[in-house]
């Protein structure tokens, strides 16, 4: 039997924090899973929401068959299992959370109803009744959108146990209506926002933000004392901003998540609730006022409220949450290298030393520079092979980084092929990707329905040693009049061989090994025969005589290097002497093809 819920199969070894929570939020998907597989996943660090949702808010609730309780203090596993027997309400499984110890038991029990519940009122009654009966459980599990992170070990494996919602509600819910503490007034850790029409004062959180008062803010958020703060260490700029953007903005401001409240912006008088907080697909929390139309992240909102610079806002948030950006010497060195590489593409040195290469990339180097600068923010010691960093990124993200419009995906593809061929970026082959990162990429591909994996990239040193070969490749492309449209897998395969094709088209190794298609081979053979006939008749062949238009021209561009090599032809540019030698009659001095 399988159960529908929201599930993310990544196996964490510690409780997700900061940017990892944003990752979880984004990747929780509807799943039809057996209870045994769910229990196995959760007891090894996976994550789930018991409810089936069409979004992230309570209004998006669809149905539910699993109900989970969280126990974090003042009880033991055995005590609660005994209570289950006493009440005849048995879990189908349970698991210890990441913070569980023998001295202090932290765990979760999961119950499964004998039928799927599709009525939200019934769902709420059952969840509240279970919380009331198991009074040592955490009250926050009443929320139908609640995320339950995984843990480290399985408590019980009674997968076939079921509970009857109607029987439990009929027996216990009515009796417990006398106790509103659990049923009708659930505890909340959020603070209500006090409204003042004159906008003089809103609440303590916002006052602390306005004055960049770190001590007061830590006190309000129940953080450790400022003289002994908890330190959260991040290792790259990217990790830093993922963590900051995933901070609970409602807690930061002292307002209720999902509820509308009066706008807190200083220039907007708002006597009726018109603002709220919502979460984007990548987990970023956004403050939005529908009255004045403004939207801000936690950083920009801090800037606005405190009337300070962006850097001061970031430092304030880092101090409040005890965030430290640690960069090792290796990280700093590679970060600077990537920045230097980006600058090198614009340098006079490149133009003088490698003129063909410099000319060839003139219109596309802005993409390579943007990618280098973006990856410089992602350098992380955990992402390196043999002392060199590597990176992974989706096409959509790189298009955004390069400023390419969504409907122009081919533009990025062409740029990546060009720069990979020119040794400016390495597309990592699957066998070279570390197992942990490969598994992550495979999970993303499965979740998104992609046939190919997210791209992994690395870099060689930019300079004379690596670009000497690139200059020769640029000359070949220029001599063959190859445009980016003609720069295809077939062209690379025919011109530079399978080894280079495997490098440039790293995820097409099987296709590369199959070689070119029969149709393409026949078209190439026709071009060779036509070329031989023209040369035999005239002693030479103008490229314009054979190149043709449309598909013929495209095939010529893809096959020209192979044709010249296999047929023992040579391509030379006309001058007066050569014109006279071959009796060529034409305007100008174009290329001709002759026998060697």
């Amino acid at each position: 039997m399988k159960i529908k819920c929201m599930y993310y199969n990544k196996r964490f070894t510690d409780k997700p924090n900061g940017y990892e929570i944003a990752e979880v939020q984004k990747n929780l998907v509807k799943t039809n899973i057996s209870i045994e597989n769910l229990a196995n996943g959760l007891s090894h660090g996976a994550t789930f929401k018991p409810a089936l949702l069409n979004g992230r808010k309570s209004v998006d609730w669809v149905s539910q068959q699993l109900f989970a309780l969280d126990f974090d203090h003042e009880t033991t596993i055995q005590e609660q299992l005994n209570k289950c027997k006493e009440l005849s309400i048995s879990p189908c499984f349970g698991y210890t959370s990441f913070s569980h110890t023998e001295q202090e038991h932290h765990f979760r029990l999961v119950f499964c109803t004998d039928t799927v519940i599709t009525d939200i009122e019934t769902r709420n009654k059952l969840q509240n009744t279970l919380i009331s009966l198991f009074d040592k459980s955490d009250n926050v599990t009443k929320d139908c959108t609640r995320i339950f992170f995984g843990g480290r070990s399985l408590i019980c494996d009674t997968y076939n146990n079921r509970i009857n919602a109607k029987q439990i509600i009929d027996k216990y819910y009515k009796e417990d209506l006398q106790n509103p503490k659990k049923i009708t007034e659930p505890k909340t850790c959020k603070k209500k926002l006090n409204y003042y029409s004159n906008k003089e004062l809103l609440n303590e959180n916002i006052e602390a933000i306005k004055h960049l008062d770190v001590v007061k803010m830590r006190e309000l958020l129940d953080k450790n004392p400022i003289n002994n703060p908890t330190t959260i260490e991040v290792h790259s700029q990217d990790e830093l901003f993922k963590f900051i953007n995933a901070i609970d903005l409602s807690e930061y401001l002292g307002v209720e998540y999902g509820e509308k409240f009066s706008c807190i912006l200083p220039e907007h008088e708002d006597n009726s609730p018109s603002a709220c907080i919502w979460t984007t697909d990548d987990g970023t929390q956004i403050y939005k006022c529908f009255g004045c139309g403004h939207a801000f992240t936690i950083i920009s909102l801090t800037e606005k409220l405190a009337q300070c610079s962006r850097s001061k806002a970031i430092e304030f948030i880092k101090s409040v949450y005890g965030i430290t950006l640690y960069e090792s010497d290796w990280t700093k060195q590679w970060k600077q290298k990537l920045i230097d590489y980006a600058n090198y593409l614009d340098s006079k040195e490149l133009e003088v030393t490698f003129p063909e290469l410099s000319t060839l990339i003139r219109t596309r180097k802005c993409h390579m520079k943007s990618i280098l600068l973006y990856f410089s923010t992602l350098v992380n010691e955990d992402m390196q092979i043999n002392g060199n960093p590597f990176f992974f990124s989706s096409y959509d993200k790189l298009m955004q980084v390069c400023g390419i419009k969504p409907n122009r995906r081919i533009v990025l593809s062409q740029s990546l092929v060009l720069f990979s061929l020119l040794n400016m970026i390495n597309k990592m082959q699957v066998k070279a990707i570390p197992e942990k990162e490969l598994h992550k990429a495979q999970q993303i591909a499965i979740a998104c329905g992609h046939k190919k994996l997210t791209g992994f990239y690395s870099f060689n040193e930019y300079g004379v040693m690596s670009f000497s070969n690139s200059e020769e490749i640029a000359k070949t492309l220029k001599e063959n009049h190859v445009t980016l449209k003609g720069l295809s897998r077939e062209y690379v395969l025919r011109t530079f061989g399978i080894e280079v094709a495997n490098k440039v088209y790293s995820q097409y190794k099987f296709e590369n090994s199959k070689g070119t298609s029969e149709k393409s081979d026949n078209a190439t053979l026709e071009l060779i025969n036509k070329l031989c006939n023209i040369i035999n008749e005239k002693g030479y062949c103008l490229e314009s005589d054979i190149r043709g238009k449309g598909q013929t021209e495209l095939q010529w561009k893809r096959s020209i290097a192979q044709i010249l090599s296999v047929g023992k032809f040579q391509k030379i540019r006309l001058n007066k002497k050569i014109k006279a030698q071959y009796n060529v009659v034409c305007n100008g001095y174009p290329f001709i093809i002759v026998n060697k």
Side-chain angles (χ1 to χ4, degrees):
M1 176 182 177
K2 292 189 175 182
I3 303 294
K4 292 181 179 180
C5 63
M6 310 299 290
Y7 184 64
Y8 181 36
N9 195 40
K10 178 174 179 178
R11 310 298 175 91
F12 290 94
T13 55
D14 292 292
K15 183 178 179 180
N17 202 347
Y19 72 93
E20 291 178 326
I21 296 176
E23 175 191 339
V24 170
Q25 283 275 21
K26 182 178 180 180
N27 289 290
L28 276 167
V29 295
K30 296 177 183 178
T31 306
N32 201 16
I33 189 172
S34 70
I35 292 179
E36 184 174 359
N37 287 340
L38 177 63
N40 177 267
L42 293 176
S43 61
H44 289 85
T47 310
F48 90 127
K49 286 183 180 181
L52 186 70
L53 302 164
N54 275 332
R56 294 182 182 175
K57 299 180 181 179
S58 56
V59 294
D60 299 316
W61 183 89
V62 177
S63 64
Q64 192 165 338
Q65 196 167 359
L66 297 174
F67 291 80
L69 296 178
D70 192 8
F71 299 89
D72 281 338
H73 57 276
E74 298 178 357
T75 190
T76 65
I77 293 171
Q78 193 57 53
E79 179 184 354
Q80 294 306 316
L81 291 179
N82 290 340
K83 190 157 192 176
C84 289
K85 291 181 180 179
E86 176 189 329
L87 295 168
S88 296
I89 301 176
S90 300
C92 55
F93 70 91
Y95 64 95
T96 59
S97 62
F98 290 117
S99 56
H100 172 80
T101 64
E102 288 301 317
Q103 295 72 34
E104 188 171 354
H105 288 198
H106 292 185
F107 59 98
R108 285 157 194 142
L109 296 180
V110 181
F111 303 85
C112 182
T113 58
D114 51 10
T115 59
V116 178
I117 295 174
T118 57
D119 174 57
I120 188 64
E121 184 178 352
T122 302
R123 179 265 165 210
N124 290 339
K125 283 184 177 180
L126 178 57
Q127 184 73 48
N128 286 333
T129 302
L130 291 173
I131 293 170
S132 179
L133 292 172
F134 294 88
D135 56 357
K136 297 293 180 64
S137 68
D138 195 333
N139 192 35
V140 297
T141 59
K142 70 176 289 295
D143 186 357
C144 67
T145 66
R146 181 75 177 179
I147 292 177
F148 289 84
F149 297 113
R152 294 195 172 93
S153 63
L154 196 64
I155 291 173
C156 54
D157 55 0
T158 50
Y159 304 128
N160 293 323
N161 281 348
R162 298 292 183 269
I163 61 174
N164 185 286
K166 186 176 185 304
Q167 288 178 3
I168 293 173
I169 292 170
D170 289 345
K171 185 173 182 179
Y172 296 107
Y173 181 75
K174 292 179 181 178
E175 294 175 5
D176 276 347
L177 284 177
Q178 302 299 320
N179 179 13
K181 181 179 179 181
K182 285 283 182 181
I183 301 298
T184 59
E185 295 293 336
K187 183 179 74 174
T188 176
C189 63
K190 308 293 186 185
K191 294 184 285 295
K192 293 288 185 180
L193 182 64
N194 298 316
Y195 304 114
Y196 294 83
S197 59
N198 60 8
K199 309 295 283 185
E200 291 284 328
L201 176 66
L202 291 168
N203 69 10
E204 292 182 287
N205 291 58
I206 294 171
E207 285 299 300
I209 295 168
K210 287 166 67 175
H211 294 93
L212 298 179
D213 189 336
V214 175
V215 176
K216 182 64 175 177
M217 198 64 180
R218 289 186 64 85
E219 178 187 318
L220 291 168
L221 296 174
D222 197 25
K223 300 294 178 184
N224 288 340
I226 191 64
N227 57 358
N228 184 30
T230 300
T231 299
I232 298 166
E233 193 173 279
V234 294
H235 296 86
S236 70
Q237 290 284 345
D238 183 63
E239 277 192 18
L240 172 65
F241 289 112
K242 279 183 178 178
F243 183 95
I244 289 176
N245 286 329
I247 286 173
D248 187 336
L249 189 51
S250 57
E251 181 183 66
Y252 181 72
L253 297 175
V255 301
E256 289 286 345
Y257 181 85
E259 299 294 330
K260 283 190 176 182
F261 50 88
S262 293
C263 182
I264 62 175
L265 300 179
E267 71 274 15
H268 180 205
E269 286 288 343
D270 186 18
N271 296 323
S272 60
S274 62
C276 70
I277 292 165
W278 58 284
T279 307
T280 66
D281 288 341
D282 67 356
T284 301
Q285 299 247 314
I286 303 291
Y287 168 88
K288 171 70 176 180
C289 176
F290 296 95
C292 63
H294 286 109
F296 298 99
T297 64
I298 187 172
I299 296 173
S300 53
L301 186 59
T302 301
E303 287 182 72
K304 190 73 173 176
L305 292 174
Q307 296 294 294
C308 68
S309 65
R310 178 177 172 81
S311 59
K312 281 190 176 181
I314 293 170
E315 287 306 313
F316 172 71
I317 295 167
K318 286 168 62 179
S319 298
V320 168
Y321 289 90
I323 307 168
T324 300
L325 173 59
Y326 170 76
E327 291 183 337
S328 65
D329 290 340
W330 179 89
T331 301
K332 292 175 182 176
Q333 180 185 30
W334 266 104
K335 183 177 179 179
Q336 187 58 51
K337 276 186 179 182
L338 295 178
I339 294 172
D340 291 343
Y341 294 169
N343 292 331
Y344 181 55
L345 297 180
D346 268 338
S347 68
K348 189 70 176 178
E349 180 184 357
L350 180 70
E351 184 181 337
V352 171
T353 311
F354 304 112
E356 303 289 354
L357 176 63
S358 179
T359 301
L360 182 66
I361 67 172
R362 184 181 68 257
T363 60
R364 294 294 178 110
K365 67 181 177 182
C366 58
H367 296 161
M368 194 67 244
K369 286 172 59 182
S370 297
I371 290 171
L372 285 164
L373 294 175
Y374 168 60
F375 282 159
S376 74
T377 69
L378 306 183
V379 177
N380 189 317
E381 282 190 302
D382 294 334
M383 299 275 286
Q384 62 170 301
I385 299 176
N386 300 325
N388 291 341
F390 69 93
F391 312 90
F392 69 95
S393 181
S394 68
Y395 259 47
D396 289 340
K397 181 62 181 178
L398 292 184
M399 287 171 67
Q400 179 185 340
V401 166
C402 296
I404 299 171
K405 294 180 180 179
N407 62 342
R408 300 285 290 164
R409 194 178 182 87
I410 187 64
V411 173
L412 176 65
S413 179
Q414 291 170 345
S415 290
L416 288 176
V417 166
L418 175 65
F419 291 121
S420 178
L421 181 61
L422 295 173
N423 304 313
M424 292 184 170
I425 189 170
N426 299 322
K427 295 180 180 180
M428 294 174 63
Q429 296 186 23
V430 172
K431 65 181 181 180
I433 302 170
E435 184 177 353
K436 178 183 176 183
E437 302 304 330
L438 178 59
H439 176 72
K440 183 189 297 184
Q442 289 169 337
Q443 292 300 312
I444 293 172
I446 291 170
C448 298
H450 295 160
K451 293 181 180 180
K452 303 295 181 183
L453 299 179
T454 297
F456 283 76
Y457 307 95
S458 64
F459 297 90
N460 299 321
E461 294 272 356
Y462 278 23
V464 172
M465 299 302 291
S466 59
F467 283 175
S468 293
N469 183 50
S470 304
E471 179 75 356
E472 293 304 312
I473 293 172
K475 285 180 181 178
T476 300
L477 296 176
K478 185 176 180 181
E479 288 172 357
N480 292 345
H481 298 286
V482 175
T483 63
L484 285 173
K485 182 180 179 181
L487 188 56
S488 63
R489 185 178 67 86
E490 183 184 340
Y491 172 79
V492 174
L493 192 58
R494 288 185 181 278
T495 306
F496 301 104
I498 189 170
E499 187 176 338
V500 176
N502 285 340
K503 178 177 81 76
V504 176
Y505 296 91
S506 57
Q507 294 196 45
Y508 290 81
K509 193 168 183 179
F510 173 73
E511 291 90 332
N512 293 334
S513 66
K514 289 175 64 178
T516 53
S517 68
E518 183 179 353
K519 180 180 179 181
S520 174
D521 288 342
N522 290 335
T524 301
L525 185 59
E526 287 181 13
L527 286 171
I528 293 175
N529 291 333
K530 183 178 179 181
L531 180 62
C532 288
N533 291 334
I534 294 174
I535 292 176
N536 288 336
E537 180 184 340
K538 297 168 49 177
Y540 68 91
C541 177
L542 287 168
E543 193 173 2
S544 58
D545 291 337
I546 191 171
R547 187 170 57 205
K549 295 182 179 179
Q551 192 61 38
T552 303
E553 181 182 19
L554 194 59
Q555 187 65 58
W556 172 255
K557 288 182 177 180
R558 289 173 175 174
S559 304
I560 181 173
Q562 190 177 42
I563 290 172
L564 294 176
S565 173
V566 173
K568 296 183 180 180
F569 304 110
Q570 63 177 332
K571 182 178 173 183
I572 56 177
R573 183 177 287 280
L574 288 174
N575 56 33
K576 290 181 178 179
K577 181 178 179 181
I578 296 174
K579 267 191 173 185
Q581 178 183 346
Y582 288 96
N583 297 316
V584 178
V585 179
C586 70
N587 295 325
Y589 300 97
F591 283 99
I592 63 168
I593 299 165
V594 297
N595 290 320
K596 286 186 178 179

